[in-house]
Amino acid sequence: AQKITQTQPGMFVQEKEAVTLDCTYDTSDQSYGLFWYKQPSSGEMIFLIYQGSYDEQNATEGRYSLNFQKARKSANLVISASQLGDSAMYFCAGRGYQKVTFGIGTKLQVIP
Amino acid sequence: GAGVSQSPSNKVTEKGKDVELRCDPISGHTALYWYRQSLGQGLEFLIYFQGNSAPDKSGLPSDRFSAERTGGSVSTLTIQRTQQEDSAVYLCASSPGSSLMNTEAFFGQGTRLTVV
C-alpha cells in the first residue's frame, strides 16, 4: 500500500529564489513511481515530473527537479528560479502495483 | 477527445436530490479514479476502477455514494440524497494499466457540485 505525506500546508518563496517542497512516502511495493502535480487557482491538475524507484538519476524537467532519496523514502520537489506563475497547490503522488495515491498538498505562494 | 472529459462542469442541486456525474476517460486507459476536492483542500480518494477487477471503493464516504463503469470506459458517480457537505469539485482521472507505473494519471477539469 502507498502512503504519501506532505507536511508543509503552505510555503512562501521570493521570486527568483529556489524552493523545496517536501514529500515522503511509504510503500511495500518493490517497484513504484513518484509524481508531482501542480494545481493553479484555475483548478486543473498539471503533471510536472516523474521519478521511478529504480532510476539512478534524479528526474529533472526544466526548472523542476525531484530530489529522490530512496533510503529516506523522500521525493522532494525543487523549483528553481521561482516565478509568480508558480503560485499554486502542489501534490505529491505515488503509484505501485495498484492505484495512484496523493498527498494532501502544499500551497506555494511566490512573493514579488 | 484527447483528454479526460467530465460533465457537467457545474451542477447546482437542491439538498435531498440525486445527482449523476459523468467521466469519459482517455481511450484505452484501463484505470479510472474519482476524487473529491473541497475548497482549498487536498484530493480525497473516492473510488478506483482497474480493468475488469472489482473496484476499490474504500474511499466512498457513505452509502449515498456509488459509481459504476460501463464497458471499461465511461464512469458515472452517483450521489443520492445530496447534503450540503457534498459540495465540492469532483475530479476524475485515468491512466494506462497498472503494469505501467511510470505513467501519470491524467485529470479531467472536474465537476463543481453545489448543494443548496
Side-chain angles (χ1 to χ4, degrees):
Chain A
Q2 291 266 0
K3 182 179 179 181
I4 304 293
T5 302
Q6 295 180 255
T7 57
Q8 304 156 313
M11 291 280 288
F12 290 91
V13 64
Q14 203 75 36
E15 192 178 8
K16 301 180 184 177
E17 298 291 315
V19 63
T20 298
L21 306 184
D22 294 342
C23 173
T24 59
Y25 61 92
D26 189 17
T27 181
S28 55
D29 293 328
Q30 292 299 309
S31 294
Y32 50 89
L34 297 155
F35 309 85
W36 278 90
Y37 288 82
K38 173 184 178 181
Q39 187 182 44
S41 58
S42 59
E44 62 185 310
M45 290 286 284
I46 302 167
F47 166 71
L48 295 178
I49 194 167
Y50 162 83
Q51 179 82 43
S53 59
Y54 287 105
D55 293 341
E56 294 185 355
Q57 301 284 337
N58 283 344
T60 60
E61 289 287 346
R63 294 186 298 111
Y64 305 109
S65 61
L66 202 153
N67 184 2
F68 181 48
Q69 299 187 38
K70 194 170 183 178
R72 300 177 66 176
K73 294 191 173 180
S74 72
N76 299 339
L77 177 71
V78 180
I79 306 174
S80 62
S82 297
Q83 302 172 356
L84 295 178
D86 294 335
S87 294
M89 282 288 285
Y90 288 82
F91 293 97
C92 179
R95 179 181 189 183
Y97 299 112
Q98 300 298 326
K99 65 191 180 192
V100 176
T101 302
F102 283 82
I104 63 171
T106 295
K107 184 173 182 178
L108 176 67
Q109 295 187 60
V110 180
I111 305 167
Chain B
V4 178
S5 178
Q6 291 187 246
S7 60
S9 54
N10 280 284
K11 177 72 177 178
V12 180
T13 190
E14 292 181 352
K15 178 181 174 181
K17 299 286 189 182
D18 297 352
V19 295
E20 286 188 350
L21 311 180
R22 178 187 169 102
C23 173
D24 276 281
I26 293 173
S27 178
H29 281 191
T30 58
L32 186 146
Y33 309 80
W34 283 99
Y35 296 91
R36 179 169 71 174
Q37 188 175 31
S38 300
L39 187 63
Q41 301 300 308
L43 297 173
E44 177 187 4
F45 167 74
L46 297 178
I47 189 168
Y48 163 61
F49 295 90
Q50 174 55 57
N52 295 320
S53 303
D56 178 350
K57 304 180 181 180
S58 60
L60 294 178
S62 77
D63 58 8
R64 296 187 295 105
F65 287 74
S66 63
E68 63 177 21
R69 188 178 185 191
T70 54
S73 182
V74 172
S75 177
T76 302
L77 176 68
T78 301
I79 309 173
Q80 295 178 312
R81 306 181 300 282
T82 51
Q83 304 294 314
Q84 288 184 329
E85 60 263 29
D86 299 334
S87 296
V89 175
Y90 290 80
L91 290 164
C92 176
S94 72
S95 70
S98 61
S99 62
L100 299 176
M101 61 184 62
N102 63 337
T103 53
E104 72 272 24
F106 296 81
F107 282 82
Q109 294 297 312
T111 293
R112 182 176 298 278
L113 175 66
T114 304
V115 182
V116 297

